Amino acid sequence: MKKLIVFDLDGTLAPSKSALDDEMAGLLSRLLALFEVAIISGGDYPQFQKQVLARLPAGTNFANLSILPTDGTKFFSYSSGSWQKRYSEDLSDAQKQKIEDALQQAVTQSGFEPKESWGERIEDRGTQITYSALGQQAPLEAKQKWDPDFAKRKAIQGILVKTLPDFAVNLGGTTSIDVTPPGIDKAYGIRKLRDILQIPLAEMLFMGDAIFPGGNDYPALQAGVDSIRVRDPEETKHVIEAIIACAS
Ligand SMILES: [Mg+2]
């Protein structure tokens, strides 16, 4: 029997960097009445506030929800009426510089540097450096067209695994590449959930849109958690509906 349902955010619960729609917010709220729920994303905490927390209806059982920004290098939970940071593990300045230089170099070398971009491409998330190919303010439509089959990012990733052997390089969102310290990926977040919530891996179920080798959800599967690959948030809704029906 599963106790904890774990979700990726972008591409799984909502389109990239977008808020949950009403239907998804309602389903998550119903799920939280039955199970513990956790969300692990490459995004930082402010993204969770906008995309998820502000969208959940009043009366939701927040005590059952764990929020793990930047692949689980930060952990937030709800207690005494507000969201509390349990921990945050930041990169050093030297590590950040090394990663940013390698990203610039790999993008140039790959030949896939986009001609147009919206806002900064490289974002320092404290515990993680994220490259967004079209910039952080890029419209979703442009992002969805740029690399739908992950081919461009896999080429850039192929260069980075050689130039940044001491870091983990994963593909996420629709146009992004996440670089974290060694050993920090969704598997790390999964183990943090196990240790902090004291729930064994066998009692977790994970859902994500990038559960394939090189995808940023793949480490969750590799950690040994039963995992369901979803195509998009619409498919996730059907899976949540099935879980609620089976548990009710
Ligand atoms: Mg995703």
Side-chain angles (χ1 to χ4, degrees):
M1 187 71 185
K2 302 302 181 191
K3 235 187 207 165
L4 172 67
I5 316 293
V6 188
F7 296 94
D8 164 54
L9 176 51
D10 282 339
T12 298
L13 289 176
S16 180
K17 296 210 174 180
S18 309
L20 305 188
D21 65 22
D22 288 342
E23 190 184 7
M24 183 64 89
L27 283 168
L28 272 185
S29 186
R30 286 170 62 201
L31 193 65
L32 280 161
L34 298 165
F35 293 92
E36 294 210 46
V37 172
I39 306 174
I40 306 181
S41 165
D44 208 349
Y45 183 67
Q47 282 297 130
F48 279 89
Q49 284 177 304
K50 268 189 288 185
Q51 290 180 256
V52 181
L53 303 181
R55 299 288 305 139
L56 292 171
T60 296
N61 183 15
F62 290 114
N64 266 355
L65 181 59
S66 298
I67 295 293
L68 285 78
T70 51
D71 280 344
T73 50
K74 300 176 190 172
F75 193 120
F76 289 76
S77 56
Y78 194 80
S79 75
S80 322
S82 67
W83 289 95
Q84 311 276 348
K85 191 191 322 190
R86 303 280 287 264
Y87 65 80
S88 175
E89 296 158 350
D90 293 346
L91 291 161
S92 71
D93 289 343
Q95 286 176 312
K96 287 176 183 174
Q97 194 58 53
K98 186 181 176 187
I99 293 167
E100 289 178 20
D101 291 347
L103 274 167
Q104 300 277 15
Q105 194 196 341
V107 170
T108 306
Q109 196 185 322
S110 73
F112 291 127
E113 181 140 32
K115 287 179 190 71
E116 200 178 359
S117 73
W118 293 262
E120 290 293 319
R121 286 180 181 167
I122 291 180
E123 186 187 356
D124 173 1
R125 293 177 176 174
T127 54
Q128 171 182 305
I129 303 293
T130 293
Y131 170 79
S132 302
L134 302 182
Q136 289 170 56
Q137 277 83 48
L140 184 59
E141 224 192 333
K143 293 204 292 186
Q144 283 172 334
K145 275 186 209 144
W146 184 69
D147 191 27
D149 56 0
F150 290 83
K152 293 188 176 94
R153 280 173 294 164
K154 280 179 181 166
I156 297 168
Q157 185 186 37
I159 298 167
L160 288 170
V161 295
K162 293 186 198 110
T163 53
L164 291 175
D166 299 337
F167 293 88
V169 180
N170 285 299
L171 313 183
T174 44
T175 62
S176 60
I177 299 173
D178 301 326
V179 181
T180 61
I184 296 198
D185 51 26
K186 283 191 177 133
Y188 179 85
I190 291 281
R191 289 190 290 269
K192 286 287 186 176
L193 283 166
R194 177 195 62 196
D195 297 344
I196 289 181
L197 301 179
Q198 307 222 317
I199 295 175
L201 299 184
E203 292 175 16
M204 298 181 192
L205 179 67
F206 178 80
M207 256 172 271
D209 67 317
I211 306 175
F212 51 81
N216 72 349
D217 294 323
Y218 195 62
L221 172 71
Q222 288 181 304
V225 175
D226 285 338
S227 298
I228 300 174
R229 181 176 173 180
V230 291
R231 194 176 48 239
D232 54 29
E234 291 309 309
E235 193 165 83
T236 306
K237 287 176 187 172
H238 296 311
V239 179
I240 296 174
E241 281 166 357
I243 295 170
I244 291 171
C246 290
S248 314

